[in-house]
């Protein structure tokens, strides 16, 4: 049996809270500068207008949270993104707490916090999204496991189950973390982790909380099981994945801290009780690579290696001058993080498959706003008697969400689509025998209408004279 050091250092509240506060302040001050992203508008529309226990591509928490924030402050991007800002700042603190559990002093805690604050986790926290909240929840689970390893307080495992339940309402990825960690515990120890009744009590809590979402998936044909195919098709190959997965830890300092931290978790005698966590994180990375998951799935794995790297570096003091190099490097990383925040004037040249928005819209405009303007103005220009029987249909869900979110001033109340979750929101009413189509492939609706007119080159078409009822057309329009 491996002896775990029970000594715990003092929490470095000053420097850690300063780093967390600066990260949160940067996000707070800039979160209103960029228009709603395609995905977060989809989350908002899904929660506000189609609240459900599940969706094709995700559990219900983020849409419900987006709807709640919009209800509190309608139209405020700052309030909409506030939960992600708080999660990013809290993740900085939890990463420092992991370093503290590993025996790291003030310097190690501050360094671990700085690694987290200059990683891509903070950059993506500009938006509300599943890929923002879930890494924070993984980080909390990691801290609870590290603390349990040091203290053997089994109540921590129950709390880990509660956090896992929240994570399962955000994304369905965290079972991969638990499977990898428990397998590594069987190999490297502590095997007693699997014999703790409160571990399985926590698991039961997580499963029970997820039952409504699982029932939604079951009654709708388990659509989430197709997401691996969708992701693999969108991000083929491994080269870019490895690059993005590593660079996501942070340019320069973060990448080195990630690699050094994993190595020390696997090799350091001082961190031997936590070796199973390092091995588990490696297994998670391999699983994501082999299944061609998205590189940002690994953001939840950064905190423990960051903490281990900071603790080992300060403990070993490999070279006398390392501090003189480390802090300027962190300042440079912070500057890179600030520059990478999506708050500066943007180009409209955004691509979706073979179609570039820049080919249609003026440069210097935000693509989501310009797209909504083109759709809205075209719809509003239709003769009133035609507009009354015309439904707006988008080929892909980002176009549908943008049209629905920004469409109200133009008289657009609802946008329909057969893409992903939008197909489950249902077809247009039978009174809609004409369609304004926004997309790339005009052949998608052509078989079901007698007349087709191109309104905006490569983007908008008008269809009239529907030849079949919508209930017959709708199953054929379902697309992943």
């Amino acid at each position: 049996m491996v002896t775990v050091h029970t000594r715990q250092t003092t929490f470095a509240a000053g420097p850690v809270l300063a780093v967390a506060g600066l990260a949160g302040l940067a996000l707070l001050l800039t979160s209103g500068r960029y228009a709603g992203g395609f995905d977060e508008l989809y989350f908002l529309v899904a929660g506000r207008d189609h609240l459900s226990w599940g969706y094709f591509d995700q559990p219900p928490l983020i849409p419900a949270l987006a709807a709640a924030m919009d209800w509190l402050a309608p139209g405020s991007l700052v309030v909409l993104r506030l939960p992600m800002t708080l999660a990013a700042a809290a993740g900085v603190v939890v990463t420092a707490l992991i370093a503290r559990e590993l025996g790291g002093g003030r310097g190690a805690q501050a360094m671990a916090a700085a690694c987290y604050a200059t990683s891509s986790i903070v950059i993506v926290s500009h938006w509300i999204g599943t890929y923002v909240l879930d890494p924070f929840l993984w980080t909390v689970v990691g801290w609870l496991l590290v603390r349990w390893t040091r203290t053997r307080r089994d109540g921590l495992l129950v709390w880990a189950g509660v956090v896992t339940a929240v994570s399962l309402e955000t994304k369905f990825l965290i079972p991969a973390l638990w499977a990898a960690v428990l397998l590594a515990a069987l190999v490297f120890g502590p095997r007693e982790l699997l014999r703790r009744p409160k571990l399985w009590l926590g698991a039961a809590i997580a499963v029970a909380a997820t039952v409504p979402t699982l029932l939604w998936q079951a009654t709708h044909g388990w659509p989430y099981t197709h997401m691996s195919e969708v992701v693999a098709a969108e991000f083929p190959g491994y080269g870019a994945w490895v690059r993005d997965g590593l660079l996501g830890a942070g340019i320069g300092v973060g990448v080195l801290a990630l690699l050094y931290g994993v190595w020390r978790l696997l090799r350091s005698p001082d961190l031997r009780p936590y070796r199973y966590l390092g091995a588990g994180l490696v297994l998670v990375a391999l699983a994501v690579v082999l299944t061609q998951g998205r590189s940002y799935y690994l953001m939840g794995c950064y905190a423990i290696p960051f903490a281990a790297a900071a603790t080992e570096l300060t403990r070993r003091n490999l070279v006398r001058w390392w501090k003189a190099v480390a802090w300027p490097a962190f300042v440079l990383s912070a500057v890179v993080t600030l520059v990478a925040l999506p708050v500066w004037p943007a180009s409209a040249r955004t691509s979706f498959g073979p179609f570039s928005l820049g080919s249609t819209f003026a440069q210097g405009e935000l693509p989501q706003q310009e797209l909504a303007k083109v759709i809205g103005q075209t719809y509003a220009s239709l003769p009133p008697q035609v507009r009354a029987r015309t439904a707006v249909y988008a080929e892909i869900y980002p176009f549908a969400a943008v049209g629905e979110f920004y469409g109200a001033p133009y008289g657009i109340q609802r946008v329909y689509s057969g893409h992903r979750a939008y197909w489950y929101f249902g077809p247009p009413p039978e009174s809609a025998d004409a369609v304004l189509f926004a997309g790339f492939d005009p052949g998608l609706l052509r078989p079901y209408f007698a007349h087709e007119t191109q309104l905006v080159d490569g983007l908008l078409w008008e269809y009239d004279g529907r030849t079949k009822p919508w209930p017959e057309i709708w199953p054929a329009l379902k697309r992943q």
Side-chain angles (χ1 to χ4, degrees), residues 156-208:
L156 296 166
L157 300 177
V158 178
W159 283 111
V162 172
V163 178
T164 298
V166 179
S167 180
L168 285 169
E169 297 301 320
T170 307
K171 291 185 79 70
F172 289 126
L173 292 180
I174 200 166
L177 174 65
W178 278 107
V181 165
L182 294 179
L183 178 60
L186 276 175
V187 176
F188 298 103
R191 294 184 179 91
E192 63 186 281
L193 173 62
L194 284 83
R195 297 193 296 267
R196 298 295 203 189
K198 289 190 177 180
L199 171 71
W200 302 109
L201 175 59
I205 292 172
V207 171

Side-chain angles (χ1 to χ4, degrees), residues 73-336:
S76 171
L77 291 174
V78 175
V79 175
L80 178 67
R81 294 161 174 167
L82 183 59
M84 304 301 105
T85 296
L86 296 176
V92 172
V93 176
V94 176
T95 303
L97 290 175
I98 295 174
R100 182 191 182 209
E101 293 295 332
L102 297 178
R106 292 177 59 85
Q109 294 173 42
M111 188 182 301
C115 285
Y116 192 98
T118 56
S119 71
S120 61
I121 299 174
V122 169
I123 295 174
V124 301
S125 295
H126 178 82
W127 292 286
I128 187 168
T130 58
Y131 42 80
V132 180
L133 185 59
D134 210 39
F136 166 68
L137 297 171
W138 282 42
T139 299
V140 175
V141 169
W143 169 63
L144 291 169
L145 285 172
V146 169
R147 185 166 175 79
W148 176 85
T149 303
R150 186 182 68 83
T151 66
R152 292 302 197 269
R153 295 177 183 174
D154 288 352
L156 296 166
L157 300 177
V158 178
W159 283 111
V162 172
V163 178
T164 298
V166 179
S167 180
L168 285 169
E169 297 301 320
T170 307
K171 291 185 79 70
F172 289 126
L173 292 180
I174 200 166
L177 174 65
W178 278 107
V181 165
L182 294 179
L183 178 60
L186 276 175
V187 176
F188 298 103
R191 294 184 179 91
E192 63 186 281
L193 173 62
L194 284 83
R195 297 193 296 267
R196 298 295 203 189
K198 289 190 177 180
L199 171 71
W200 302 109
L201 175 59
I205 292 172
V207 171
T210 314
V211 165
T213 301
L214 294 177
L215 288 176
W216 187 96
Q217 289 286 327
T219 55
H220 290 78
W222 299 100
Y224 192 83
T225 59
H226 298 289
M227 278 305 295
S228 59
E229 304 168 19
V230 172
V231 172
E234 290 178 346
F235 299 90
Y238 299 103
W241 188 99
V242 173
R243 178 199 66 205
D244 295 341
L246 288 175
L247 293 181
I251 303 297
V253 173
V255 172
L256 295 176
L258 177 66
L259 296 176
Y260 181 67
V262 171
W263 179 54
R264 296 312 298 166
L265 281 167
L266 297 176
R267 300 293 298 171
S268 171
D270 292 321
L271 297 179
R272 188 178 179 188
Y274 310 98
R275 182 180 300 178
Y276 77 104
L277 293 173
L281 297 180
V282 171
L283 289 176
V284 170
L286 290 175
V288 174
V289 170
L290 294 176
T291 58
Q292 291 188 280
R294 291 172 176 152
S295 59
Y296 57 72
Y297 289 175
L298 290 185
M299 290 194 298
C301 298
Y302 292 162
I304 294 178
F306 284 165
T311 300
E312 282 287 283
L313 190 57
T314 54
R315 179 185 291 149
R316 291 165 63 84
N317 205 14
L318 297 177
V319 289
R320 293 181 179 179
W321 44 264
W322 72 267
K323 292 182 182 179
V325 175
W327 294 113
F330 275 118
V331 172
L332 178 61
S333 296
V335 171
V336 171

Side-chain angles (χ1 to χ4, degrees), residues 45-46 48-50 375 379 387 390-394 399-418 421-429 432 435-436 474:
V45 169
R48 185 188 63 190
D49 302 330
H50 311 282
I375 295 173
Y379 178 79
R387 190 167 61 244
T390 299
V392 180
Y393 185 97
F399 282 16
V402 165
E404 199 161 347
F405 182 78
Y406 289 113
Y410 305 102
I412 298 175
Q413 301 300 320
R414 174 81 186 273
V415 179
Y416 301 87
S417 178
Y422 260 85
W423 184 84
Y424 296 89
F425 299 162
V435 165
L436 177 63
W474 202 243

Side-chain angles (χ1 to χ4, degrees), residues 440-461:
F440 322 127
D441 180 13
L444 191 65
L445 294 183
R446 187 176 294 150
Y448 311 109
F449 291 86
H451 307 289
E452 173 188 327
T453 304
Q454 182 172 269
L455 301 179
V456 176
D457 185 26
L459 179 64
L460 291 179
W461 288 262

